[in-house]
Amino acid sequence: VCNVLDYGAVGDGVREDSNEVQAAIDGCHSQGGGYVLFPSGYIFVVSEVAIRSNVILNLEVGSEIRAPFIATLTHPVPEGRT
């Protein structure tokens, strides 16, 4: 488990946490995969991150990820899937 707070994320709903969240995703991926934990009681502002294979984002109840603008998908959704 890679806790985003351990990678320097603040989660105050104001400060941009994208770099720290990406570091947690990359760290988890480099360990062969697992969970990136977003602990309860925090609001993480994330503009853009790259999700890696074998990495699962785990938002505890009471945590939020907010994007200040609409994200762009880098991989299209396959036809017939929502």
Side-chain angles (χ1 to χ4, degrees):
V1 175
C2 295
N3 186 325
V4 294
L5 297 177
D6 294 339
Y7 287 83
V10 175
D12 63 2
V14 178
R15 182 180 167 272
E16 171 75 35
D17 290 312
S18 294
N19 291 334
E20 295 78 11
V21 170
Q22 187 65 60
I25 291 169
D26 293 342
C28 188
H29 178 74
S30 71
Q31 297 172 24
Y35 292 92
V36 173
L37 176 65
F38 294 82
S40 179
Y42 294 91
I43 300 170
F44 301 96
V45 177
V46 179
S47 60
E48 182 177 343
V49 293
I51 307 301
R52 309 285 300 267
S53 58
N54 300 318
V55 174
I56 298 166
L57 303 182
N58 181 20
L59 280 74
E60 289 185 338
V61 173
S63 66
E64 293 182 34
I65 295 176
R66 292 188 183 168
F69 54 87
I70 298 173
T72 301
L73 295 175
T74 57
H75 297 286
V77 176
E79 189 174 313
R81 298 187 72 181
T82 57

